[in-house]
Amino acid sequence: MIHGLIFLLGVSTLYLQVGCKEDNKYDDYMLMKLYPNTKSQIEALRDIENGVPKLEILKRSRNLNDTTDILLTPEQLTELKPFVKKEGITYDIKDNYGRSFEAVERSPRRRVFRSFNVFEYHSYGAIQEHLEMLAKMHPELLKLATLGSSYQGRRMKLAKISLNPNANNPIIFIDGGIHAREWVAPAMAMYLIHRLVTDPEARHELNGVDWYILPVVNPDGYEFTRTSRTNRLWRKTRSKNALLDCFGVDGNRNYAFKWAVSGVSKNPCDKETYAGPKPFSEPETQMVRNVMITYGKRIKLYVSLHSYGQYLVYPWGYTGDFLPKEWEKLDSLAKMVSDAVERAGGQPFRVMSAGKWYPAAGGSDDFAFGAIGVPYSYTMELTDGYEFLFPERLLHTVLPQFYEGFKVFAAQIRNEFSPTRHRKAFNLDVDYNV
Ligand code: 0X9
Ligand code: ZN
């Protein structure tokens, strides 16, 4: 059955690549949400993923209470349905998926005379301006370090938040937005910066710990998703391939640790997981790498913000066959973070190794852990239930909930790595169980 399916879907995908007009590309697409109920149904879905590489799979289910979400043309849906029915997998369909992409959230017009609202989505320019403004208003806490420029020339700056930059404190390094369409990730990163710098109570999170945050790793892709509905689901960078008329590399397949050994495409025209012509081919991933190398062993926690699915995953990502020997520490801290988010009214995270979710090599989490030696390294998939279109109106609910999780991260890093005088002076030992 799966072979026939591959053939059929292969033919219609070819038609799409050659014959389909690029504008309004997603308008008539369907979103199929599949709800596997048994282990064998999860296996059957894995067959589809592996057997039909051209399908746009937005999220993969590896749990019985999670969905696999696939974007399909009406033709592809007709072809896939019999297979899904035969396996007895229940599903929902959202019609005309592309028509639901909101233009209003991209519009800069409302913001012209208004201050920056952390509970809105912003242009890259507005994000940069706000960072500059915050750094001017709080020079004792926030400094911006220029990292370089993106492929299209957007300047990228690292926000360094510290009460005492000379104290040699352990560093929490957070990035967001390596995947262009995952808008909630830069929004979370900006919220973190805003809270840490402007909330007097956040001094607690800054004691003995420095926070380095890069809110938008892929600014070219981010801006591309804002320009039209057609581009809203772009994932990769925007670099032009040297040989083919295709654009972009999946930044989270581009890191030099077990590069391209699993879960990648070698095809530059693949819209999702092209690993790049070589590791660190992209200026954007080079900049993250440079931060990791520069601050090296001082970085004790790395969190890469993504969406969606409400997963909190740790190395290894390149394989699901085994775990690093330190996995229990990674797992238990992730569970404490998840508990804190839940206590704040949020959804708990699904905690596991990234490779047990689905193996994919060349991710920043594996590089931080395996190549740099960062002891705690995670990918955090924020939100679930709205795919990549998390509504702006809900940001004010979820961002503070996630922040509670970051307080737990900070407590762990301080207690485990900060020079003892900080812990004694501020009496901050083990304060995350309240
Ligand atoms: O596939 C990814 O890059 C991440 N999921 S997403 O839906 N945001 O694209 C998960 C990455 C987990 N880490 C590794 N596989 N190394
Ligand atoms: Zn992502």
Side-chain angles (χ1 to χ4, degrees), residues 178-179 182 235 252 305-307 381 388:
I178 182 67
H179 290 147
E182 299 170 5
R235 167 179 168 101
N252 214 30
L305 299 170
H306 288 246
S307 74
E381 301 281 352
F388 297 110

mmCIF file with all atom_site columns, all heavy atoms in Angstrom, residues 178-179 182 235 252 305-307 381 388, ligand 2:
data_model
loop_
_atom_site.group_PDB
_atom_site.id
_atom_site.type_symbol
_atom_site.label_atom_id
_atom_site.label_alt_id
_atom_site.label_comp_id
_atom_site.label_asym_id
_atom_site.label_entity_id
_atom_site.label_seq_id
_atom_site.pdbx_PDB_ins_code
_atom_site.Cartn_x
_atom_site.Cartn_y
_atom_site.Cartn_z
_atom_site.occupancy
_atom_site.B_iso_or_equiv
_atom_site.pdbx_formal_charge
_atom_site.auth_seq_id
_atom_site.auth_comp_id
_atom_site.auth_asym_id
_atom_site.auth_atom_id
_atom_site.pdbx_PDB_model_num
ATOM   1  N  N   . ILE A 1 178 ? 15.091 30.772 14.669 1.00 0.00 ? 178 ILE A N   1
ATOM   2  C  CA  . ILE A 1 178 ? 15.896 30.176 13.592 1.00 0.00 ? 178 ILE A CA  1
ATOM   3  C  C   . ILE A 1 178 ? 14.963 29.729 12.470 1.00 0.00 ? 178 ILE A C   1
ATOM   4  O  O   . ILE A 1 178 ? 15.311 29.764 11.299 1.00 0.00 ? 178 ILE A O   1
ATOM   5  C  CB  . ILE A 1 178 ? 16.768 29.001 14.109 1.00 0.00 ? 178 ILE A CB  1
ATOM   6  C  CG1 . ILE A 1 178 ? 17.641 28.402 13.003 1.00 0.00 ? 178 ILE A CG1 1
ATOM   7  C  CG2 . ILE A 1 178 ? 15.928 27.883 14.710 1.00 0.00 ? 178 ILE A CG2 1
ATOM   8  C  CD1 . ILE A 1 178 ? 18.706 29.288 12.495 1.00 0.00 ? 178 ILE A CD1 1
ATOM   9  N  N   . HIS A 1 179 ? 13.738 29.324 12.848 1.00 0.00 ? 179 HIS A N   1
ATOM   10 C  CA  . HIS A 1 179 ? 12.720 28.977 11.859 1.00 0.00 ? 179 HIS A CA  1
ATOM   11 C  C   . HIS A 1 179 ? 11.779 30.165 11.672 1.00 0.00 ? 179 HIS A C   1
ATOM   12 O  O   . HIS A 1 179 ? 11.116 30.607 12.614 1.00 0.00 ? 179 HIS A O   1
ATOM   13 C  CB  . HIS A 1 179 ? 11.952 27.725 12.298 1.00 0.00 ? 179 HIS A CB  1
ATOM   14 C  CG  . HIS A 1 179 ? 12.799 26.490 12.217 1.00 0.00 ? 179 HIS A CG  1
ATOM   15 N  ND1 . HIS A 1 179 ? 12.675 25.429 13.087 1.00 0.00 ? 179 HIS A ND1 1
ATOM   16 C  CD2 . HIS A 1 179 ? 13.785 26.159 11.333 1.00 0.00 ? 179 HIS A CD2 1
ATOM   17 C  CE1 . HIS A 1 179 ? 13.563 24.499 12.750 1.00 0.00 ? 179 HIS A CE1 1
ATOM   18 N  NE2 . HIS A 1 179 ? 14.242 24.916 11.693 1.00 0.00 ? 179 HIS A NE2 1
ATOM   19 N  N   . GLU A 1 182 ? 7.969  30.633 12.940 1.00 0.00 ? 182 GLU A N   1
ATOM   20 C  CA  . GLU A 1 182 ? 7.643  30.344 14.345 1.00 0.00 ? 182 GLU A CA  1
ATOM   21 C  C   . GLU A 1 182 ? 7.660  31.633 15.156 1.00 0.00 ? 182 GLU A C   1
ATOM   22 O  O   . GLU A 1 182 ? 8.507  31.851 16.024 1.00 0.00 ? 182 GLU A O   1
ATOM   23 C  CB  . GLU A 1 182 ? 8.626  29.288 14.872 1.00 0.00 ? 182 GLU A CB  1
ATOM   24 C  CG  . GLU A 1 182 ? 8.525  27.988 14.073 1.00 0.00 ? 182 GLU A CG  1
ATOM   25 C  CD  . GLU A 1 182 ? 9.626  26.970 14.359 1.00 0.00 ? 182 GLU A CD  1
ATOM   26 O  OE1 . GLU A 1 182 ? 10.446 27.198 15.263 1.00 0.00 ? 182 GLU A OE1 1
ATOM   27 O  OE2 . GLU A 1 182 ? 9.666  25.941 13.647 1.00 0.00 ? 182 GLU A OE2 1
ATOM   28 N  N   . ARG A 1 235 ? 10.202 28.535 6.312  1.00 0.00 ? 235 ARG A N   1
ATOM   29 C  CA  . ARG A 1 235 ? 10.926 28.044 7.495  1.00 0.00 ? 235 ARG A CA  1
ATOM   30 C  C   . ARG A 1 235 ? 12.424 28.386 7.469  1.00 0.00 ? 235 ARG A C   1
ATOM   31 O  O   . ARG A 1 235 ? 13.027 28.691 8.480  1.00 0.00 ? 235 ARG A O   1
ATOM   32 C  CB  . ARG A 1 235 ? 10.762 26.517 7.528  1.00 0.00 ? 235 ARG A CB  1
ATOM   33 C  CG  . ARG A 1 235 ? 11.671 25.748 8.468  1.00 0.00 ? 235 ARG A CG  1
ATOM   34 C  CD  . ARG A 1 235 ? 11.336 24.269 8.365  1.00 0.00 ? 235 ARG A CD  1
ATOM   35 N  NE  . ARG A 1 235 ? 12.305 23.390 8.992  1.00 0.00 ? 235 ARG A NE  1
ATOM   36 C  CZ  . ARG A 1 235 ? 12.153 22.833 10.193 1.00 0.00 ? 235 ARG A CZ  1
ATOM   37 N  NH1 . ARG A 1 235 ? 11.109 23.128 10.929 1.00 0.00 ? 235 ARG A NH1 1
ATOM   38 N  NH2 . ARG A 1 235 ? 13.049 22.010 10.669 1.00 0.00 ? 235 ARG A NH2 1
ATOM   39 N  N   . ASN A 1 252 ? 18.354 24.770 11.511 1.00 0.00 ? 252 ASN A N   1
ATOM   40 C  CA  . ASN A 1 252 ? 18.448 23.760 12.559 1.00 0.00 ? 252 ASN A CA  1
ATOM   41 C  C   . ASN A 1 252 ? 18.839 22.381 12.016 1.00 0.00 ? 252 ASN A C   1
ATOM   42 O  O   . ASN A 1 252 ? 18.627 21.367 12.665 1.00 0.00 ? 252 ASN A O   1
ATOM   43 C  CB  . ASN A 1 252 ? 17.137 23.671 13.342 1.00 0.00 ? 252 ASN A CB  1
ATOM   44 C  CG  . ASN A 1 252 ? 17.381 23.348 14.811 1.00 0.00 ? 252 ASN A CG  1
ATOM   45 O  OD1 . ASN A 1 252 ? 18.419 23.707 15.376 1.00 0.00 ? 252 ASN A OD1 1
ATOM   46 N  ND2 . ASN A 1 252 ? 16.431 22.655 15.432 1.00 0.00 ? 252 ASN A ND2 1
ATOM   47 N  N   . LEU A 1 305 ? 14.464 28.547 21.222 1.00 0.00 ? 305 LEU A N   1
ATOM   48 C  CA  . LEU A 1 305 ? 13.005 28.687 21.222 1.00 0.00 ? 305 LEU A CA  1
ATOM   49 C  C   . LEU A 1 305 ? 12.446 28.423 19.828 1.00 0.00 ? 305 LEU A C   1
ATOM   50 O  O   . LEU A 1 305 ? 12.919 28.998 18.835 1.00 0.00 ? 305 LEU A O   1
ATOM   51 C  CB  . LEU A 1 305 ? 12.619 30.102 21.669 1.00 0.00 ? 305 LEU A CB  1
ATOM   52 C  CG  . LEU A 1 305 ? 13.063 30.497 23.083 1.00 0.00 ? 305 LEU A CG  1
ATOM   53 C  CD1 . LEU A 1 305 ? 12.839 31.993 23.319 1.00 0.00 ? 305 LEU A CD1 1
ATOM   54 C  CD2 . LEU A 1 305 ? 12.324 29.672 24.120 1.00 0.00 ? 305 LEU A CD2 1
ATOM   55 N  N   . HIS A 1 306 ? 11.466 27.564 19.777 1.00 0.00 ? 306 HIS A N   1
ATOM   56 C  CA  . HIS A 1 306 ? 10.786 27.198 18.528 1.00 0.00 ? 306 HIS A CA  1
ATOM   57 C  C   . HIS A 1 306 ? 9.289  27.144 18.800 1.00 0.00 ? 306 HIS A C   1
ATOM   58 O  O   . HIS A 1 306 ? 8.834  27.307 19.921 1.00 0.00 ? 306 HIS A O   1
ATOM   59 C  CB  . HIS A 1 306 ? 11.220 25.802 18.072 1.00 0.00 ? 306 HIS A CB  1
ATOM   60 C  CG  . HIS A 1 306 ? 12.621 25.719 17.544 1.00 0.00 ? 306 HIS A CG  1
ATOM   61 N  ND1 . HIS A 1 306 ? 12.897 25.427 16.228 1.00 0.00 ? 306 HIS A ND1 1
ATOM   62 C  CD2 . HIS A 1 306 ? 13.816 25.869 18.150 1.00 0.00 ? 306 HIS A CD2 1
ATOM   63 C  CE1 . HIS A 1 306 ? 14.209 25.397 16.052 1.00 0.00 ? 306 HIS A CE1 1
ATOM   64 N  NE2 . HIS A 1 306 ? 14.794 25.670 17.206 1.00 0.00 ? 306 HIS A NE2 1
ATOM   65 N  N   . SER A 1 307 ? 8.528  26.845 17.752 1.00 0.00 ? 307 SER A N   1
ATOM   66 C  CA  . SER A 1 307 ? 7.141  26.420 17.935 1.00 0.00 ? 307 SER A CA  1
ATOM   67 C  C   . SER A 1 307 ? 6.878  25.374 16.846 1.00 0.00 ? 307 SER A C   1
ATOM   68 O  O   . SER A 1 307 ? 7.594  25.352 15.848 1.00 0.00 ? 307 SER A O   1
ATOM   69 C  CB  . SER A 1 307 ? 6.179  27.593 17.802 1.00 0.00 ? 307 SER A CB  1
ATOM   70 O  OG  . SER A 1 307 ? 6.031  27.990 16.460 1.00 0.00 ? 307 SER A OG  1
ATOM   71 N  N   . GLU A 1 381 ? 9.594  23.855 22.265 1.00 0.00 ? 381 GLU A N   1
ATOM   72 C  CA  . GLU A 1 381 ? 8.557  24.068 21.242 1.00 0.00 ? 381 GLU A CA  1
ATOM   73 C  C   . GLU A 1 381 ? 7.350  24.701 21.927 1.00 0.00 ? 381 GLU A C   1
ATOM   74 O  O   . GLU A 1 381 ? 6.587  24.015 22.609 1.00 0.00 ? 381 GLU A O   1
ATOM   75 C  CB  . GLU A 1 381 ? 8.158  22.733 20.615 1.00 0.00 ? 381 GLU A CB  1
ATOM   76 C  CG  . GLU A 1 381 ? 9.299  21.981 19.959 1.00 0.00 ? 381 GLU A CG  1
ATOM   77 C  CD  . GLU A 1 381 ? 9.659  22.505 18.583 1.00 0.00 ? 381 GLU A CD  1
ATOM   78 O  OE1 . GLU A 1 381 ? 8.929  23.374 18.060 1.00 0.00 ? 381 GLU A OE1 1
ATOM   79 O  OE2 . GLU A 1 381 ? 10.668 22.048 18.031 1.00 0.00 ? 381 GLU A OE2 1
ATOM   80 N  N   . PHE A 1 388 ? 1.451  27.078 13.376 1.00 0.00 ? 388 PHE A N   1
ATOM   81 C  CA  . PHE A 1 388 ? 2.398  28.197 13.448 1.00 0.00 ? 388 PHE A CA  1
ATOM   82 C  C   . PHE A 1 388 ? 1.699  29.549 13.599 1.00 0.00 ? 388 PHE A C   1
ATOM   83 O  O   . PHE A 1 388 ? 2.352  30.579 13.688 1.00 0.00 ? 388 PHE A O   1
ATOM   84 C  CB  . PHE A 1 388 ? 3.298  28.216 12.203 1.00 0.00 ? 388 PHE A CB  1
ATOM   85 C  CG  . PHE A 1 388 ? 4.150  26.988 12.119 1.00 0.00 ? 388 PHE A CG  1
ATOM   86 C  CD1 . PHE A 1 388 ? 3.922  26.023 11.160 1.00 0.00 ? 388 PHE A CD1 1
ATOM   87 C  CD2 . PHE A 1 388 ? 5.156  26.771 13.042 1.00 0.00 ? 388 PHE A CD2 1
ATOM   88 C  CE1 . PHE A 1 388 ? 4.686  24.871 11.105 1.00 0.00 ? 388 PHE A CE1 1
ATOM   89 C  CE2 . PHE A 1 388 ? 5.929  25.619 13.006 1.00 0.00 ? 388 PHE A CE2 1
ATOM   90 C  CZ  . PHE A 1 388 ? 5.690  24.672 12.031 1.00 0.00 ? 388 PHE A CZ  1
HETATM 91 ZN ZN  . ZN  B 2 .   ? 11.482 25.263 14.730 1.00 0.00 ? 2   ZN  B ZN  1
#
